[in-house]
Amino acid sequence: MRTNDLPKHYDPKLTEDKWYRFWLEKRLFHADVDTKKKTFSVVIPPPNVTDVLHLGHALNNTLQDILIRWKRMQGYETEWLPGTDHAGIATQVVLEKKLAKEGKSKEKLGREKFVQLAWEWKKKNGDAILNQLKKIGCSCDWDRTRFTLDEGLSQAVLEVFVHLYNKGLIYRGKRIINWCPRCQTSLSDDETEREEKEGSLWYIKYKLKGSDQYITVATTRPETMLGDTAVAINPEDKRFKKLVGKSAILPILDRELKIVADDFVDPEFGTGMVKVTPAHDPNDFEIGQRHNLEQINVMNPNGTMNENAGKFAGLDRYACRQALVAELKKRKLLEKIEPYSVPVALCYRCGTEIEPYLSEQWFVKMKPLAQPAIEAVKTGKVRFFPERWTKTYMHWMENIRDWCISRQLWWGHRIPVWYCQSCNQIIVAKSPPSECDKCKGKKLKQDEDVLDTWFSSWLWPFSTFGWPKKTKELKRFYPTKALFTASEIIFLWVARMVMAGFEFMGKEPFSDVYIHGTVRDEHGVKMSKSLGNGIDPLEVIDQYGADALRTTMMLVTPEGQDTLIAKRTFKVGQHFANKLWNVSKFVMSHLSQGFFPEDDLQLREDEGRLEDRWILSRLNRTVDEVTQLMENYRFNSAVKSLYEFVWHDFCDWYVEMIKPRLNLPEGEKENATAQKIAHFVLNRILRLLHPFAPFITEEIWHHLYKGMDGDSSSVLNQAWPSVQKELIDQDLEQTLKSVQEVVTSIRNIRSEMNVPPAKKADVWIRVDDQKLKRILNDNKDHIINLGKVENLRIEVDLPKPDHSASAVVKDAEIFVPLEGLIDLEQERIRLEKEIAKVTRLLEKTNKKLSNEDFLKRAPRAIIEKEKAKKEDYRKMVEKLNKNLEGIVGW
């Protein structure tokens, strides 16, 4: 027998760093641009350098690594390009908070030193992020690592800005934008988070000019009334038609306001008359454009009121609201206040309530860019997995608005626009101009703003390969194949990349978009640093190993759905790794010398028993199923299929069935066949599991084929298993299933009736026909061995023996006489106690599910968990009562 040097226990800490270094030294992740192979490329969604990675990143990058390793094994030249994102607003917010804690500010530091600080932050966090990706096992092409502010990508950004400006798609305009008073920058619509909050509807009386009469308007933001320049009604509203063309007087500031008719006004809202504030509401801005209204901005960039607010100048916007409402009450101009649910937008980075704000910004006209991207999805050039996300994408694209791309930040790509201080000429250029192209003046000032982070990110699939240069990498690896991301950035990133791909490369940037779910804690709450419920992937790896992290996340994350995870959840993957290790150790300890990683297995007609042909059928069915699932990005289903095959088919059944044959003298035919097939199946298991659990499969592979070099030296170089369809036999699988059902039923009876493990039991099986009798008799050795059976009877006509427990399977009934096996009275007492215990748990769960407050407040996932517990308890009580009735009946 060969010497088995596989250690008794698997220790990830002794293997993971070792094999990652090995892969790097062998350059197994690097893609050859001159290859003759078919290529398969993916660009990593670049993590923000704001902070280190969390479990959501671990999920996203594990999915990508599974795909890349699988495609590499399928014979592709695989390119997985890594990198990080400068994350303009997010990183600047973090750094400003850090400075504030130190008693400093970015203003005191100055732009140059602040940007230098940001680069230092990027170096620290960027390196930490790349190290985390390596710890997870990501097989990225590290030689091609990119950063959204590196020289090449910066050149691409300049090229795109100038191209779109010259094409008339970039313009500068004064419009209502989303403004964050905390970050003091503009935000696009997709950089805000929407929510409903309980607010109020204030009914304010405006006096009609030249009259003692008043009209009443309703508003949810009374502080903005200081910027009112009109009152509007719907032209079809007969109640107020006669007021059109007249004027009202703005309370407190006494400004004259025109009364206009506009179709936008909803007659059902408030009184049917609305105030119009063109500088502080996007809809009012449009009304103002149609009626040529003045735009009066009453706020400073920090959210305080400016000089246009009169005596309220200097107050915070909310303090102004309170003071203004108090003043209106004092003047008896506040008719009433009603509770009202108000939709608000929050800054996606700092959570501050967004202020609609009139500001001069740079915009991209999106509709001309959107059409090819819409057609790409309609024609299937770009596909979403799961498919339901297609509707989300199409809805946004068909209702697309211009993109505000300027940000009032210091960290990012500076806008390539210069203003002539002599003649006000605007110069757009890829490099700093030496003089004004109009007046030849030398006094030029660059725009202070930077571009939206996403302006560099939307170029990521081609800028990372060298565009605008026509590089070999760009020609070979663009377009990429797949993109993995979360649903919240379908608009921010995915759609924009598709648009950029068509505009600048003439083709889609990727064909498949896989949208994965969000990682939540065990209570259903989204993990976040601020809540303190996040889990650090490195802590999981330190405790359980990277393979446990990867396989657990795949096993518990259904395709496209959110997943609930606690730290203990990762024991699932750890147990699976231990199972694989132990079965590998057992098989290897029974292998003779001379096994090689062959391609396919050929069996002679007279070779192999039922269990041998069964495991080969199950193996090939699993290979076929897993390959198809992977092609459709169903990773959760794929790993579950592998889990079932490895744990149950191979470990629980096949290995247990062949143990007697492996213990036969070496050289005997039955022993040799069992070795041959056990080795072959283990070889295929290591290949199939490698994309999911790369470290442990590499470790076992090297022990299995010690001393081999070349392509055999790494499982990463092995071919993905092909399907030998001739070995799939449905009838044979059904035959063994009958044997398995019998053995499982015997084991269940022993467990439920508390039969001591060491005691063998008599088993009687009453079958419905001779065919099943023949099948069970042909396999009685397995029933006796695996079911711990003393005496076995199998008959068509067989009475139920006295004092026996029973079970029913397809076409058969199984009886286990219990007299002499257990103490019936003691078992009755045990069962009664267990019934009482489980009944209490069932009542507790029922009470919780009857609580209306719990049903209203608890996350849906938690409610579903409680419902599942209730059903489990109900079944347990039912089964325990059945066992008790059997004993009491005796």
Side-chain angles (χ1 to χ4, degrees):
M1 304 294 284
R2 82 180 272 171
T3 303
N4 179 13
D5 62 351
L6 206 61
K8 185 175 181 181
H9 301 293
Y10 176 59
D11 186 350
K13 291 178 181 176
L14 298 178
T15 60
E16 293 180 350
D17 288 346
K18 172 181 72 175
W19 291 121
Y20 204 88
R21 283 195 304 273
F22 171 83
W23 294 326
L24 290 178
E25 286 165 6
K26 298 282 185 181
R27 291 178 63 76
L28 297 182
F29 305 157
H30 182 69
D32 180 5
V33 76
D34 296 317
T35 182
K36 300 285 191 241
K37 294 180 186 178
K38 291 183 295 182
T39 57
F40 188 97
S41 55
V42 171
V43 290
I44 198 170
N48 294 345
V49 294
T50 320
D51 204 347
V52 292
L53 304 185
H54 52 65
L55 273 187
H57 294 106
L59 171 63
N60 178 279
N61 288 289
T62 296
L63 286 163
Q64 292 176 81
D65 192 52
I66 288 168
L67 181 71
I68 283 290
R69 286 179 184 269
W70 173 53
K71 286 297 176 183
R72 192 178 285 122
M73 295 177 78
Q74 284 191 319
Y76 289 88
E77 189 72 22
T78 56
E79 168 61 26
W80 184 15
L81 186 143
T84 50
D85 195 306
H86 68 281
I89 185 171
T91 302
Q92 183 150 328
V93 167
V94 169
L95 289 175
E96 285 178 13
K97 287 180 179 178
K98 181 176 180 292
L99 287 171
K101 284 182 181 176
E102 297 168 0
K104 303 174 186 175
S105 70
K106 76 176 195 300
E107 288 76 19
K108 287 179 184 176
L109 208 60
R111 184 166 193 154
E112 190 177 329
K113 287 186 178 178
F114 181 82
V115 170
Q116 184 183 334
L117 180 67
W119 275 104
E120 291 168 4
W121 183 267
K122 175 264 171 188
K123 176 77 172 75
K124 179 174 73 77
N125 273 8
D127 289 351
I129 287 167
L130 299 184
N131 180 59
Q132 282 181 298
L133 291 171
K134 290 172 183 176
K135 284 286 187 182
I136 291 167
C138 296
S139 54
C140 299
D141 187 351
W142 300 109
D143 294 339
R144 295 190 170 103
T145 303
R146 303 305 300 266
F147 176 55
T148 50
L149 274 176
D150 70 27
E151 188 178 343
L153 270 69
S154 296
Q155 190 59 43
V157 165
L158 294 171
E159 185 80 23
V160 166
F161 189 97
V162 172
H163 167 90
L164 293 176
Y165 180 81
N166 289 338
K167 199 173 178 179
L169 295 180
I170 283 184
Y171 66 93
R172 192 178 187 220
K174 207 168 188 181
R175 301 175 67 89
I176 293 286
I177 48 95
N178 299 302
W179 183 264
C180 174
R182 154 63 186 79
C183 301
Q184 292 197 38
T185 183
S186 59
L187 299 169
S188 68
D189 290 343
D190 311 304
E191 291 174 309
T192 63
E193 295 175 352
R194 308 278 167 170
E195 66 176 37
E196 295 278 329
K197 78 168 190 178
E198 290 305 312
S200 299
L201 195 58
W202 284 269
Y203 288 78
I204 304 169
K205 294 159 70 173
Y206 288 38
K207 190 175 183 181
L208 286 172
K209 183 183 178 185
S211 167
D212 291 332
Q213 290 183 309
Y214 287 83
I215 58 173
T216 303
V217 301
T219 180
T220 58
R221 299 164 66 220
E223 66 279 7
T224 63
M225 68 178 282
L226 300 171
D228 286 0
T229 55
V231 172
I233 65 164
N234 189 289
E236 302 301 317
D237 194 335
K238 294 176 182 177
R239 295 174 297 171
F240 309 120
K241 216 167 189 178
K242 62 184 179 183
L243 295 176
V244 176
K246 294 186 178 181
S247 297
I249 304 300
L250 178 66
I252 302 174
L253 293 185
D254 294 331
R255 185 163 55 242
E256 186 174 330
L257 311 176
K258 285 201 299 184
I259 299 177
V260 299
D262 196 278
D263 289 328
F264 175 78
V265 179
D266 178 6
E268 302 298 317
F269 176 78
T271 62
M273 302 187 81
V274 296
K275 63 188 214 57
V276 182
T277 319
H280 289 280
D281 183 274
N283 298 314
D284 290 7
F285 176 83
E286 297 297 335
I287 294 174
Q289 294 291 95
R290 288 191 287 272
H291 297 278
N292 197 29
L293 299 177
E294 186 183 0
Q295 300 165 342
I296 300 175
N297 186 342
V298 296
M299 287 190 202
N300 295 311
N302 65 357
T304 59
M305 309 307 288
N306 65 21
E307 66 279 3
N308 292 328
K311 67 179 184 179
F312 302 102
L315 290 178
D316 173 77
R317 53 184 168 159
Y318 300 118
C320 172
R321 178 181 295 180
Q322 290 180 336
L324 181 62
V325 168
E327 181 80 11
L328 290 169
K329 282 181 181 176
K330 183 179 174 182
R331 297 189 183 200
K332 299 188 174 0
L333 294 176
L334 188 63
E335 189 172 287
K336 61 178 177 177
I337 305 172
E338 290 180 348
Y340 192 78
S341 182
V342 182
V344 296
L346 306 175
C347 174
Y348 81 122
R349 283 302 173 190
C350 71
T352 302
E353 197 168 313
I354 292 299
E355 188 64 43
Y357 195 72
L358 185 65
S359 178
E360 195 158 50
Q361 303 286 341
W362 287 94
F363 297 86
V364 178
K365 292 179 184 175
M366 299 303 283
K367 281 192 177 177
L369 299 172
Q371 201 51 47
I374 290 171
E375 288 304 311
V377 172
K378 281 184 176 178
T379 57
K381 284 184 179 178
V382 176
R383 304 178 299 165
F384 281 84
F385 299 85
E387 198 274 334
R388 68 177 184 272
W389 291 109
T390 302
K391 287 183 181 177
T392 305
Y393 172 93
M394 293 300 288
H395 175 76
W396 187 77
M397 292 295 281
E398 288 168 351
N399 295 278
I400 199 165
R401 296 170 65 178
D402 287 358
W403 174 17
C404 176
I405 56 169
S406 45
R407 297 290 180 272
Q408 290 63 53
L409 304 170
W410 288 351
W411 175 238
H413 295 277
R414 190 92 172 257
I415 291 177
V417 171
W418 286 261
Y419 305 99
C420 178
Q421 302 299 288
S422 302
C423 71
N424 296 322
Q425 173 76 341
I426 293 177
I427 305 157
V428 176
K430 286 182 269 187
S431 57
S434 58
E435 62 180 19
C436 173
D437 55 9
K438 183 180 177 183
C439 73
K440 306 303 179 184
K442 305 293 185 182
K443 291 183 179 179
L444 304 177
K445 185 179 180 184
Q446 187 175 0
D447 197 304
E448 292 287 334
D449 292 350
V450 300
L451 289 162
D452 179 10
T453 292
W454 302 101
F455 197 86
S456 52
S457 301
W458 76 323
L459 315 177
W460 186 253
F462 51 89
S463 63
T464 49
F465 291 123
W467 187 92
K469 293 177 182 176
K470 293 180 179 178
T471 63
K472 279 186 177 182
E473 286 82 2
L474 189 63
K475 185 177 179 182
R476 204 77 177 92
F477 301 129
Y478 186 92
T480 65
K481 178 62 180 175
L483 177 77
F484 291 76
T485 190
S487 61
E488 58 262 30
I489 55 173
I490 288 176
F491 318 135
L492 283 168
W493 194 43
V494 179
R496 287 173 180 161
M497 282 192 288
V498 178
M499 288 185 271
F502 280 104
E503 177 67 17
F504 301 105
M505 293 297 297
K507 57 179 73 171
E508 68 280 0
F510 34 72
S511 54
D512 298 341
V513 181
Y514 180 80
I515 304 294
H516 58 73
T518 299
V519 179
R520 300 181 180 276
D521 67 17
E522 59 187 315
H523 305 295
V525 179
K526 183 177 177 180
M527 288 187 178
S528 73
K529 276 190 72 178
S530 58
L531 291 175
N533 65 342
I535 299 174
D536 184 346
L538 290 187
E539 287 182 13
V540 175
I541 291 169
D542 185 61
Q543 189 170 351
Y544 299 105
D547 291 327
L549 170 79
R550 293 165 65 109
T551 53
T552 298
M553 297 205 77
M554 291 304 101
L555 284 165
V556 303
T557 308
E559 287 88 6
Q561 296 180 37
D562 293 354
T563 183
L564 308 186
I565 289 184
K567 213 167 186 185
R568 63 181 178 277
T569 310
F570 294 97
K571 287 182 180 179
V572 172
Q574 184 187 45
H575 292 160
F576 185 50
N578 290 338
K579 188 78 169 179
L580 176 64
W581 185 263
N582 291 337
V583 77
S584 300
K585 183 174 177 63
F586 175 81
V587 169
M588 288 162 63
S589 70
H590 288 82
L591 292 181
S592 304
Q593 297 288 349
F595 281 100
F596 298 94
E598 65 264 67
D599 294 330
D600 287 323
L601 183 70
Q602 305 299 327
L603 283 181
R604 300 188 305 273
E605 284 290 328
D606 63 338
E607 194 177 11
R609 292 182 50 169
L610 172 71
E611 62 267 25
D612 299 326
R613 295 184 178 276
W614 169 78
I615 195 65
L616 292 174
S617 179
R618 290 293 304 126
L619 170 64
N620 281 281
R621 189 181 298 281
T622 301
V623 170
D624 191 29
E625 182 180 90
V626 168
T627 303
Q628 289 185 46
L629 289 168
M630 298 273 275
E631 292 286 0
N632 288 291
Y633 299 92
R634 296 183 60 194
F635 300 101
N636 170 255
S637 300
V639 78
K640 280 185 173 178
S641 179
L642 286 174
Y643 183 95
E644 288 296 314
F645 175 75
V646 173
W647 194 296
H648 299 298
D649 292 344
F650 188 60
C651 298
D652 288 354
W653 291 103
Y654 182 69
V655 170
E656 292 300 319
M657 284 178 167
I658 65 169
K659 275 181 178 178
R661 293 161 61 194
L662 291 175
N663 289 325
L664 291 171
E666 232 179 282
E668 287 202 18
K669 181 180 175 183
E670 289 295 331
N671 176 282
T673 304
Q675 279 195 50
K676 176 180 178 179
I677 293 171
H679 161 263
F680 179 79
V681 176
L682 178 59
N683 173 289
R684 290 309 185 262
I685 284 171
L686 295 176
R687 298 186 196 207
L688 290 165
L689 280 177
H690 178 74
F692 299 91
F695 295 105
I696 190 171
T697 51
E698 189 73 88
E699 177 74 6
I700 295 169
W701 184 271
H702 278 259
H703 282 277
L704 186 57
Y705 302 112
K706 203 158 201 177
M708 301 190 79
D709 52 19
D711 285 346
S712 297
S713 68
S714 174
V715 67
L716 185 59
N717 285 328
Q718 303 312 300
W720 180 257
S722 57
V723 182
Q724 291 180 263
K725 289 194 178 288
E726 70 277 9
L727 294 180
I728 298 177
D729 188 332
Q730 179 62 37
D731 292 339
L732 184 146
E733 288 185 36
Q734 192 57 48
T735 296
L736 200 68
K737 187 178 179 184
S738 299
V739 177
Q740 290 173 319
E741 285 177 347
V742 167
V743 172
T744 300
S745 295
I746 295 169
R747 287 171 169 173
N748 288 344
I749 289 171
R750 293 180 63 99
S751 173
E752 289 167 12
M753 302 312 296
N754 223 19
V755 176
K759 281 193 176 181
K760 291 191 173 184
D762 291 344
V763 175
W764 295 16
I765 304 174
R766 182 164 65 204
V767 295
D768 291 355
D769 55 52
Q770 292 293 333
K771 181 184 176 184
L772 183 57
K773 179 182 176 182
R774 185 174 64 255
I775 289 171
L776 297 182
N777 270 316
D778 288 346
N779 292 278
K780 63 183 180 183
D781 288 351
H782 293 317
I783 297 172
I784 289 169
N785 180 41
L786 301 176
K788 295 185 178 178
V789 176
E790 185 71 44
N791 298 298
L792 178 65
R793 288 185 63 187
I794 307 169
E795 300 291 347
V796 174
D797 294 314
L798 192 66
K800 178 181 178 179
D802 294 336
H803 309 306
S804 62
S806 65
V808 177
V809 296
K810 190 175 183 298
D811 301 328
E813 199 167 358
I814 299 152
F815 307 108
V816 177
L818 293 172
E819 203 162 15
L821 274 181
I822 61 172
D823 183 322
L824 298 180
E825 179 58 21
Q826 284 299 316
E827 183 60 15
R828 180 187 68 77
I829 294 169
R830 187 190 72 81
L831 285 171
E832 286 175 345
K833 285 181 179 177
E834 190 66 18
I835 289 167
K837 175 186 167 187
V838 179
T839 300
R840 284 195 299 272
L841 291 171
L842 178 60
E843 288 170 353
K844 185 179 176 183
T845 306
N846 277 331
K847 187 176 179 182
K848 188 178 279 189
L849 288 169
S850 300
N851 186 326
E852 288 295 326
D853 192 50
F854 170 75
L855 295 175
K856 281 180 185 175
R857 293 176 180 274
R860 185 179 173 186
I862 299 300
I863 294 171
E864 292 303 317
K865 193 175 177 181
E866 289 299 316
K867 286 180 179 178
K869 275 165 60 177
K870 174 186 173 180
E871 184 60 16
D872 288 343
Y873 292 147
R874 187 193 64 76
K875 287 179 180 177
M876 285 170 67
V877 171
E878 191 178 273
K879 190 178 283 187
L880 289 165
N881 275 317
K882 183 183 174 186
N883 292 340
L884 181 61
E885 285 167 15
I887 289 177
V888 172
W890 299 336

